[in-house]
Amino acid sequence: MQSWRRRKSLWLALSASWLLLVLLGGFSLLRLALPPRPRPGAPQGWPRWLDAELLQSFSQAGELPEDAASPQAPHGGSCNWGACFDTSKCRGDGLKVFVYPASGPISETHHRILASIEGSRFHTFSPAGACLLLLLSLDAQTGECSSMPLQWNRGRNHLVLRLHPAPCPKTFQLGQAMVAEASPTVDSFRPGFDVALPFLPEAHPLRGGAPGQLQQHSPQPGIALLALEEERGGWRTADTGSSACPWDARCEQDPGPGQTQRGETLPNATFCLISGHRPEAASRFLQALQAGCIPVLLSPRWELPFSEVIDWTKAAIVADERLPLQVLAALQEMSPARVLALRQQTQFLWDAYFSSVEKVIHTTLEVIQDRIFGTSAHPSLLWNSPPGALLALSTFSTSPQDFPFYHLQQGSRPEGRFSALIWVGPPGQPPLKLIQAVAGSQHCTQILVLWSNERPLPSSWPETAMPLTVIDGHRKVSDRFLPYSTIRTDAILSLDARSSLSTSEVDFAFVVWQSFPERMVGFLTSSHFWDEAHGGWGYTAERTNEFSMVLTTAAFYHRYYHTLFTHSLPKALRTLADEAPTCVDVLMNFLVAAVTKLPPIKVPYGKQRQEAAPLASRGPGPGPKPQAPAPDCINQIAAAFGHMPLLSSRLRLDPVLFKDPVSVQRKKYRSLEKP
């Protein structure tokens, strides 16, 4: 009996040991399906698979594919950022880019690149004052190849831009030049020096671009689990069982029912399997991002775009193609919360960096500017969280808390003060009553009067409990949105001298803004609409329940939008606002809506003052006759943005007990209901 118990104990111990070994081995295999998180601050390439010994127990002898040849020395030898780029040329004005003129015929893609650079804040026409000299590698379709420029200087402080792999044979040595290339191989890519670009189709739009196609973030019933890119184009979707490996020709199991989608149709699946061997497969990567299909890269041999700054672990999965069963099991067992987070990130990355040629080029230049200013120029949060690094300018701040977008992630709240900026245009009467009403607010910390008319400045101004500063403007409407250094608060109350507000209206609007610091909060509204008769956008200031814009003659917003207005918008749009002053409200609303993807918020405003307010309505009223926006103003701005960012809303926030039949003593903002 005792010997039987010993044998039983030994058998149980051996069984437990084998079970533990299998579990540990299985978990290690599943972890290979998820990419390792890169160390912050260090540029990362994709790992080489070091699991040959582990794989021997799961495959027959001779079945494993041969490993790739040992990596060759990258072009440029030991060139790196510190050794081959002179940052002293970038002091003062920061990154300024000069583009060499083309020596021959150029393609449509080349024209788009030139237009996107010339319209950016980085461009300069002087090679002597440039920090970076950019050479565009001409497309093979033109029949011409780039030649060495006169100011080559062994390639120092040069960037060779190639939007398509190997467009031309190398006609000169790159030397110390950086290379921004579409889908470079991991063997030739120099991390921290070169820039990996996405593979763009020829018809990729210059600006704006198509939005992401993900209509429902959670997987819909009946949606395919997998979409597989095919060598001759298109996608094949399949609902597979746990024992199937549809991308592996050695599998004998039935992969299940499938459906082929030919042409450029975006895949309709949860995961998109993309081969890592063929460079042309990189073109499918952007299709997967746009469709909200999580890219599953099978042992990629090419560098992912902008991998230096984008954390692809939040949007894509790197899998070992030699472990099809384990990878498929990991995909099927992934939690819905993880799938939702990955799909949401694909939509953000597509819209922020890849939806247009302009965004791809500007992202490339932003990566180089971050290297000049150091790793702290754009923390990882700014690159990998909406609205993205292109709309979170490092010239404004390098701290996420200073921007209006990250208070929720940071667990912070905007400060409880605001600055009033009163624009005084013609006829130039000092807004004495408006100053007194704003000065009565408990949240106002300073008042700035922007004097923008031909009359001389008044000699006396009303006394207020807070500082009152008068700024002599340049007689332009766009002066209202310059980033004045005298503004010390995050919140700005933008006012026109002809506006009329009560202290209670100001206080309540500011409290609302504190809960929505990324949005515009205003009193007077207008809306846009599509005019079928004229085939364009229209604009109306009629008072309706639905609106998409608030007038900046009385509105709260974050001071960061002054920096974006001045340094991010094309000069042509700011000139349009100066030539057609009524367009400035439309332009500012376009900017905020494009950044936030949210509509503005309306707060209550006195009916009598609303009828008399300038630029508020086309109806009759005791005030001056309002000016209508320029007929084609909204269409010109929409064309410059490349899309229509405005969103309509019916939300109006009122105080608690607003117009309720209760005692006035119980109401906090009592004067809001006075006639």
Side-chain angles (χ1 to χ4, degrees):
M1 179 65 69
Q2 187 173 2
S3 61
W4 180 83
R5 290 180 178 176
R6 291 178 180 174
R7 287 195 299 272
K8 183 178 179 181
S9 300
L10 180 61
W11 181 81
L12 291 175
L14 290 175
S15 300
S17 301
W18 278 107
L19 180 61
L20 182 61
L21 180 61
V22 171
L23 289 176
L24 291 177
F27 288 147
S28 63
L29 288 175
L30 292 180
R31 281 197 295 270
L32 294 176
L34 297 177
R37 182 174 297 276
R39 291 174 295 177
Q44 298 288 323
W46 293 106
R48 296 186 174 276
W49 308 108
L50 305 176
D51 53 354
E53 297 180 359
L54 183 62
L55 288 172
Q56 291 177 1
S57 60
F58 292 90
S59 59
Q60 300 297 327
E63 285 188 352
L64 292 178
E66 296 182 0
D67 290 337
S70 58
Q72 302 175 355
H75 46 69
S78 59
C79 226
N80 56 57
W81 179 256
C84 299
F85 194 91
D86 184 8
T87 57
S88 63
K89 295 184 178 181
C90 309
R91 295 171 183 171
D93 295 335
L95 179 63
K96 290 297 179 182
V97 181
F98 172 79
V99 183
Y100 286 109
S103 57
I106 60 177
S107 66
E108 181 63 27
T109 303
H110 198 133
H111 275 294
R112 294 176 182 176
I113 296 173
L114 287 175
S116 64
I117 296 176
E118 292 176 357
S120 71
R121 67 183 187 279
F122 302 108
H123 183 255
T124 180
F125 290 100
S126 170
C131 165
L132 179 69
L133 302 170
L134 193 146
L135 177 65
L136 288 172
S137 184
L138 300 182
D139 297 335
Q141 296 178 354
T142 63
E144 299 287 340
C145 290
S146 302
S147 58
M148 182 183 297
L150 297 178
Q151 298 94 345
W152 183 242
N153 189 25
R154 296 180 301 169
R156 194 170 183 84
N157 281 53
H158 278 71
L159 175 67
V160 179
L161 184 64
R162 298 171 177 165
L163 280 187
H164 302 283
C168 284
K170 295 181 180 178
T171 56
F172 55 88
Q173 294 295 325
L174 292 171
Q176 300 179 359
M178 296 180 290
V179 177
E181 185 177 3
S183 306
T185 62
V186 293
D187 296 336
S188 62
F189 182 75
R190 296 170 291 182
F193 191 67
D194 292 337
V195 181
L197 302 181
F199 189 101
L200 297 180
E202 290 291 337
H204 211 58
L206 170 61
R207 58 175 59 94
Q213 298 299 307
L214 185 60
Q215 301 296 329
Q216 181 175 340
H217 292 304
S218 300
Q220 301 177 9
I223 188 175
L225 174 68
L226 300 176
L228 295 87
E229 54 95 11
E230 296 187 331
E231 294 186 6
R232 288 178 291 180
W235 296 85
R236 179 168 60 87
T237 60
D239 287 312
T240 61
S242 60
S243 61
C245 42
W247 70 87
D248 195 333
R250 294 169 296 159
C251 288
E252 298 179 358
Q253 293 88 351
D254 180 13
Q259 182 180 0
T260 299
Q261 301 173 1
R262 294 296 181 185
E264 298 300 325
T265 303
L266 297 178
N268 183 23
T270 303
F271 299 99
C272 285
L273 273 62
I274 302 174
S275 171
H277 291 279
R278 296 181 291 108
E280 59 271 16
S283 62
R284 303 295 180 190
F285 183 73
L286 286 189
Q287 288 187 5
L289 283 184
Q290 183 182 3
C293 184
I294 302 170
V296 180
L297 307 171
L298 304 176
S299 302
R301 307 291 172 85
W302 36 271
E303 192 75 13
L304 286 187
F306 307 125
S307 55
E308 181 178 342
V309 293
I310 294 180
D311 184 0
W312 285 109
T313 63
K314 297 181 178 180
I317 296 174
V318 176
D320 192 336
E321 63 182 353
R322 297 171 293 183
L323 303 173
L325 300 178
Q326 288 80 1
V327 171
L328 186 57
L331 297 181
Q332 290 178 323
E333 295 174 3
M334 187 173 295
S335 67
R338 175 66 173 161
V339 171
L340 173 61
L342 289 170
R343 302 189 83 185
Q344 287 178 328
Q345 192 70 0
T346 62
Q347 300 299 273
F348 156 65
L349 294 177
W350 163 260
D351 181 72
Y353 306 118
F354 301 109
S355 62
S356 67
V357 173
E358 185 177 70
K359 291 178 181 178
V360 171
I361 299 302
H362 288 185
T363 303
T364 303
L365 300 180
E366 201 72 41
V367 169
I368 297 175
Q369 180 172 258
D370 273 15
R371 295 175 184 173
I372 296 172
F373 291 136
T375 56
S376 61
H378 270 124
S380 179
L381 175 65
L382 271 59
W383 277 104
N384 296 282
S385 298
L390 296 186
L391 296 174
L393 303 183
S394 58
T395 53
F396 175 78
S397 176
T398 59
S399 174
Q401 294 184 355
D402 293 335
F403 294 91
F405 323 112
Y406 307 106
H407 287 290
L408 184 61
Q409 293 98 319
Q410 299 291 317
S412 60
R413 181 178 174 85
E415 58 183 349
R417 303 176 303 155
F418 71 85
S419 300
L421 180 61
I422 305 175
W423 182 72
V424 183
Q429 295 297 330
L432 303 182
K433 291 185 177 180
L434 182 61
I435 291 176
Q436 293 175 352
V438 174
S441 172
Q442 57 180 327
H443 305 289
C444 183
T445 188
Q446 62 176 153
I447 298 176
L448 295 93
V449 178
L450 180 60
W451 193 265
S452 292
N453 62 77
E454 301 297 336
R455 291 190 177 187
L457 287 170
S459 57
S460 61
W461 294 87
E463 295 184 1
T464 58
M466 67 285 300
L468 191 150
T469 305
V470 180
I471 303 173
D472 192 8
H474 298 86
R475 315 301 185 263
K476 295 181 179 180
V477 179
S478 60
D479 288 352
R480 298 165 54 188
F481 304 120
L482 292 177
Y484 295 103
S485 59
T486 51
I487 300 178
R488 302 191 301 267
T489 60
D490 290 337
I492 294 178
L493 173 58
S494 175
L495 294 168
D496 185 279
R498 296 170 292 175
S499 301
S500 177
L501 289 174
S502 66
T503 302
S504 294
E505 288 170 333
V506 172
D507 284 341
F508 176 70
F510 177 70
V511 171
V512 171
W513 177 88
Q514 283 186 294
S515 298
F516 305 95
E518 74 280 10
R519 300 205 209 183
M520 296 181 69
V521 177
F523 302 89
L524 303 172
T525 61
S526 56
S527 59
H528 73 290
F529 61 91
W530 179 256
D531 190 347
E532 290 286 353
H534 297 87
W537 294 102
Y539 171 101
T540 178
E542 298 294 334
R543 295 194 298 272
T544 61
N545 290 334
E546 189 171 281
F547 62 92
S548 58
M549 292 176 279
V550 294
L551 303 189
T552 57
T553 54
F556 276 99
Y557 52 80
H558 198 281
R559 69 185 177 98
Y560 173 62
Y561 293 126
H562 280 199
T563 301
L564 270 184
F565 188 95
T566 304
H567 299 293
S568 180
L569 287 178
K571 184 178 180 181
L573 287 182
R574 299 196 302 272
T575 303
L576 173 65
D578 291 331
E579 295 176 350
T582 52
C583 285
V584 71
D585 290 315
V586 180
L587 182 56
M588 191 62 172
N589 279 271
F590 261 72
L591 175 64
V592 178
V595 173
T596 63
K597 309 294 189 296
L598 295 169
I601 295 177
K602 176 179 171 56
V603 290
Y605 190 49
K607 182 177 180 181
Q608 291 183 354
R609 290 191 298 273
Q610 187 168 352
E611 292 176 349
L615 307 181
S617 152
R618 292 192 177 96
K625 186 176 181 180
Q627 293 177 277
D632 204 36
C633 167
I634 191 170
N635 287 291
Q636 293 183 51
I637 298 176
F641 273 77
H643 69 293
M644 170 52 71
L646 297 178
L647 297 173
S648 297
S649 173
R650 295 186 178 184
L651 174 65
R652 190 184 84 172
L653 296 183
D654 297 332
V656 177
L657 301 179
F658 181 68
K659 292 190 175 181
D660 284 355
V662 298
S663 172
V664 177
Q665 301 300 323
R666 298 176 57 186
K667 300 182 179 183
K668 183 176 181 180
Y669 303 97
R670 303 167 188 170
S671 62
L672 287 182
E673 302 180 33
K674 293 181 179 180

